[in-house]
């Protein structure tokens, strides 16, 4: 842009430019948004660098922002170090591995899925995969192209893809919380969003067909409606008459008393009684 080193030093001394990384400055102030921080970090390492891992998942809107370092993947050697930045080096970044989100270079969603599976918890990976699925961003062929023998995360993604077509994602945050509760308390994973009664079209939130147990999670925004409340109880009656054991839990119960909910589910499944025996 024709700005000399001397001009840059003058702008820094007068408070118009604020150094962030080598060769990267904030203009006017340092009250940066998260996106500005991501862009600054990527610029510091050159053109063959993208925001990656959990940072890219947040940028794509697949995970909620959380405190922690910025993750970058770079094919540039000798890029140095930046504070609060974790750098993952790679031999090359193919065009299919990269994209731009609001002008910020980022790893593609298929690549991010594998990266997060290899560095974050199973619950975090599941949340991200389901979020991508709800937005119809899951491309099984593109994801399969990212899987490599020995690449961390490939095994977890391969397992998830194997059951992908038969396991729809949770439709709400509360349903995702319930699946986390099941995982945390060693409860067998239920079949989500299924219709256990063939003669009825209504779906239930979760079902264990072999144990004939159904769980519904009641979010206040929907189930507080009087008409829906009556339909819920009518469905519960139909389920009981068909030999199913329905259970119903609220947001407060799942988030504040997960142990009690887990014990009740295990009891309905017969697992609690088996353990007691």
């Amino acid at each position: 842009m024709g700005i000399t080193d001397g001009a840059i030093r003058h702008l820094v001394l007068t408070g118009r430019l604020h150094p962030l990384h080598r060769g990267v400055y904030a203009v006017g102030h340092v009250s940066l948004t998260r996106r500005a921080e991501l862009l600054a970090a990527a610029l510091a390492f050159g053109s063959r660098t993208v925001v990656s891992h959990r940072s890219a998942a947040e940028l794509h809107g697949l995970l909620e922002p959380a405190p922690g370092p910025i993750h970058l993947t770079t094919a540039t050697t000798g890029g140095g170090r930046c504070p609060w930045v974790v750098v993952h080096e790679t031999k090359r970044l193919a065009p299919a591995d990269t994209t731009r989100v609001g002008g910020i270079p980022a790893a593609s969603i298929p690549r991010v899925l594998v990266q997060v599976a290899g560095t974050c918890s199973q619950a975090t990976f599941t949340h991200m995969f389901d979020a991508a699925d709800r937005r119809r961003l899951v491309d099984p062929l593109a994801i399969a192209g990212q899987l490599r023998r020995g690449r961390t995360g490939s095994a977890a993604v391969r397992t998830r893809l194997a059951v992908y077509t038969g396991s729809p994602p949770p439709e709400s945050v509360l349903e995702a919380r319930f699946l986390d509760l099941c995982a945390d308390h060693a409860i067998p994973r239920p079949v989500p969003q299924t219709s256990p009664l063939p003669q009825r079209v209504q779906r239930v939130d979760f079902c264990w067909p072999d144990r004939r147990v159904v769980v519904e999670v009641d979010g206040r925004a929907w189930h507080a409606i009087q008409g829906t409340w009556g339909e819920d109880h009518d469905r519960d009656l139909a389920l009981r008459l068909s030999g199913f054991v329905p259970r119903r839990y609220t947001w407060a119960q799942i988030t504040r008393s997960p142990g009690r909910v887990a014990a009740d589910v295990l009891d309905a499944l017969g697992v609690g009684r088996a353990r007691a025996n």
Side-chain angles (χ1 to χ4, degrees):
M1 297 176 63
I3 303 176
T4 65
D5 290 346
I8 291 175
R9 286 194 295 269
H10 175 74
L11 292 171
V12 170
L13 288 174
T14 56
R16 298 182 184 181
L17 291 182
H18 300 269
L20 299 176
H21 306 292
R22 185 179 62 181
V24 182
Y25 303 84
V27 180
H29 62 84
V30 290
S31 299
L32 303 182
T33 65
R34 180 63 169 177
R35 288 199 169 201
E37 293 175 344
L38 295 175
L39 177 59
L43 289 173
F45 280 81
S47 59
R48 295 191 296 165
T49 301
V50 294
V51 177
S52 64
H53 295 75
R54 183 182 177 112
S55 300
E58 295 174 5
L59 185 60
H60 284 292
L62 303 180
L63 290 175
E64 292 295 323
I70 293 171
H71 289 265
L72 302 176
T73 294
T74 182
T76 302
T77 58
R81 296 182 179 181
C82 293
W84 297 100
V85 175
V86 176
V87 180
H88 307 266
E89 294 185 356
T90 185
K91 292 182 179 179
R92 64 187 295 267
L93 280 172
D97 297 334
T98 67
T99 185
R100 282 188 173 268
V101 181
I104 303 172
S108 64
I109 288 177
R111 178 122 180 173
V112 171
L113 286 171
V114 179
Q115 291 174 333
V116 172
T119 56
C120 294
S121 67
Q122 178 63 37
T124 298
F125 167 68
T126 300
H127 276 308
M128 184 185 65
F129 192 99
D130 291 345
D133 196 10
R134 282 192 293 270
R135 291 167 54 188
R136 299 184 179 181
L137 298 176
V138 173
D139 183 340
L141 291 178
I143 296 171
Q146 293 289 335
L147 304 180
R148 302 284 189 279
R149 183 180 298 275
R151 173 177 284 182
T152 304
S154 289
V157 175
R158 190 176 287 109
T159 299
R160 184 68 173 87
L161 285 177
V163 298
Y164 170 66
T165 55
S167 181
E171 294 189 342
S172 70
V173 174
L174 184 56
E175 291 181 17
R177 287 286 190 97
F178 181 77
L179 288 174
D180 289 345
L181 182 150
C182 290
D184 292 341
H185 292 85
I187 298 173
R189 186 177 178 90
V191 178
Q193 299 299 325
T194 187
S195 300
L197 303 180
Q199 71 275 21
R200 297 171 68 93
V201 298
Q202 292 97 331
R203 294 183 302 170
V204 299
D205 292 332
F206 301 103
C207 181
W208 290 263
D210 57 329
R211 304 295 180 93
R212 301 188 73 77
V213 173
V214 165
V215 163
E216 294 273 48
V217 293
D218 294 349
R220 185 173 183 178
W222 174 252
H223 293 276
I225 301 173
Q226 183 66 29
T228 304
W229 182 84
E231 292 175 3
D232 290 343
H233 284 269
D234 178 65
R235 178 166 29 182
D236 288 351
L237 177 59
L239 287 166
R240 286 195 296 270
L241 291 175
S242 299
F244 283 85
V245 179
R247 289 287 194 270
R248 191 173 292 278
Y249 307 108
T250 65
W251 171 272
Q253 289 172 325
I254 291 172
T255 58
R256 299 176 186 174
S257 306
R260 296 177 61 190
V261 171
D264 193 49
V265 173
L266 290 169
D267 181 71
L269 295 172
V271 178
R273 292 189 293 274
R275 289 176 177 174
N277 294 333

